[in-house]
Amino acid sequence: MKAYANAPHKYNYRGQEVISPNCFWVRNVFNNPETKYKIFKLSIKKAFIRECKKVQPDVIYALDPTMEGRLAVELKKELNIPVVLIEHSMRKFYNDLYGLGKYEHIYKNVAKRTDAMVYVSSPQKSQFEEITGNIPKSYIVLNGFVSENITTNRKILSEDPIRLICIGYLEERKGYPVLLKAMKYLKEHSLHNFMLTIIGDGLNRDDYEHTAMEYGISDCVDFKGIISHKQVFEELCQSDIFVLPSYGEALGISYLEAMNCCLPVIGTKNEGISDIIKTGENGLLVGKGDVEGVCNAIEYYVEHPEKAYEIALNGKETVQNMTWKTNAQEMLHCFQEVILNK
């Protein structure tokens, strides 16, 4: 509550003025989409209209068709400004947040009224088109990442223990239950020693730490919590394998950061990252919830270090141009098309 009260309504970001009206929302409390939207609309609408009339923007760029996007398309006619929506989540996020059948009609209606819909991966686009149908103007613009330009001369998979690393919010869909089970299996059956570093925090952290104790792997699992971006890259550069068996993931940026650090990565099939990773070429993909698959992928890298290094090099080359600058250029092209066709 203190942080909410102290949140600035206006601030400067790299020379750009940002107006940021506050909206009160408690995670896992306001889960009815209509209730949540009414609170959001009451908090935002007046400031939104005032700033649009003051600045007279060429386009409104909004996230989340159940909230910001919904308000934008409701006001589109009044403001006479085209609307571009971007989706960063998968359907699981909305299913977990609202429940099946409670948001789909809202989502479909808003998506049909927008001037363009932007997705960050083709698996994500396919999922949402099951709700919306084909949107006449839709784009796929892949996420980018920021590199700290940290270099390392350390050769992967050359020391004991083998250092695994995972980055993400501590919740089930990130695959932590799968990963902890895999660590238990590896400790009991592998000929190698492993150390898993988990970077991130979340509501389930205590549960996962307790699970690690129950599995007898607390000595080889290090929960780092939230650390600086620079420290994240330092940890990546000291690791051997990046593994994130998440699902409901539109396109995880941590995969790109790990690939840029020349780490062999392990992701999940049919998720957003499958747009980037081709198994056996620049990474490995396993099935959703597949503990054995995760173990096999880790062991494959360990048993074939030369192939792992080749895959890591290919991964680094794959993401070289996936910067936020490239992302911005593609988004600019999208905006220009929408404005021209206004």
Side-chain angles (χ1 to χ4, degrees), residues 76-252:
K76 187 172 76 166
K77 186 175 181 180
E78 175 184 343
L79 297 170
N80 192 31
I81 305 170
V83 175
V84 175
L85 300 185
I86 186 166
E87 180 56 76
H88 276 286
S89 301
M90 293 288 251
R91 287 181 63 181
K92 176 174 172 48
F93 170 81
Y94 293 97
N95 293 340
D96 289 348
L97 185 61
Y98 300 128
L100 287 170
K102 293 184 178 180
Y103 70 92
E104 286 88 343
H105 67 290
I106 298 171
Y107 200 105
K108 180 177 181 178
N109 183 47
V110 173
K112 291 292 185 182
R113 293 164 66 189
T114 190
D115 294 274
M117 193 79 198
V118 179
Y119 302 97
V120 300
S121 68
S122 54
Q124 179 203 43
K125 181 174 183 287
S126 297
Q127 274 198 17
F128 282 105
E129 285 186 344
E130 293 176 5
I131 299 174
T132 65
N134 292 325
I135 304 297
K137 289 183 180 178
S138 62
Y139 302 80
I140 295 176
V141 180
L142 300 177
N143 284 334
F145 69 96
V146 176
S147 172
E148 293 285 350
N149 294 318
I150 296 174
T151 59
T152 177
N153 295 320
R154 180 176 179 271
K155 187 176 181 181
I156 61 170
L157 302 169
S158 62
E159 301 174 5
D160 188 63
I162 303 298
R163 295 196 55 176
L164 311 176
I165 187 168
C166 183
I167 303 171
Y169 188 79
L170 297 187
E171 59 183 346
E172 183 180 350
R173 73 178 183 89
K174 292 293 185 179
Y176 290 110
V178 173
L179 190 52
L180 293 175
K181 286 180 182 178
M183 283 296 294
K184 180 177 184 293
Y185 180 88
L186 290 170
K187 183 173 182 179
E188 293 173 350
H189 298 93
S190 177
L191 298 176
H192 307 279
N193 296 313
F194 294 91
M195 183 70 196
L196 172 63
T197 297
I198 296 177
I199 297 175
D201 212 337
L203 299 176
N204 294 335
R205 177 170 177 172
D206 288 345
D207 293 336
Y208 294 146
E209 289 181 339
H210 182 69
T211 298
M213 291 178 60
E214 282 189 335
Y215 287 172
I217 57 174
S218 293
D219 60 328
C220 54
V221 179
D222 182 11
F223 290 87
K224 288 283 187 182
I226 297 174
I227 59 178
S228 72
H229 199 243
K230 182 177 180 179
Q231 288 174 311
V232 168
F233 273 86
E234 289 173 348
E235 290 290 339
L236 285 169
C237 290
Q238 294 170 13
S239 300
D240 296 295
I241 300 170
F242 178 86
V243 52
L244 181 63
S246 64
Y247 57 97
E249 188 86 60
L251 182 58

Side-chain angles (χ1 to χ4, degrees), residues 27-93:
R27 191 180 180 94
N28 298 327
V29 174
F30 299 133
N31 287 351
N32 181 290
E34 291 297 340
T35 301
K36 184 181 174 187
Y37 179 65
K38 286 177 182 177
I39 295 170
F40 171 77
K41 186 175 179 178
L42 184 65
S43 305
I44 302 298
K45 182 178 177 180
K46 289 183 179 179
F48 182 66
I49 292 174
R50 181 180 67 248
E51 292 303 323
C52 282
K53 290 184 175 179
K54 175 182 174 183
V55 178
Q56 297 183 332
D58 296 302
V59 65
I60 295 171
Y61 181 44
L63 171 70
D64 184 356
T66 67
M67 293 278 286
E68 294 96 318
R70 185 176 178 183
L71 179 61
V73 296
E74 281 186 13
L75 297 174
K76 187 172 76 166
K77 186 175 181 180
E78 175 184 343
L79 297 170
N80 192 31
I81 305 170
V83 175
V84 175
L85 300 185
I86 186 166
E87 180 56 76
H88 276 286
S89 301
M90 293 288 251
R91 287 181 63 181
K92 176 174 172 48
F93 170 81

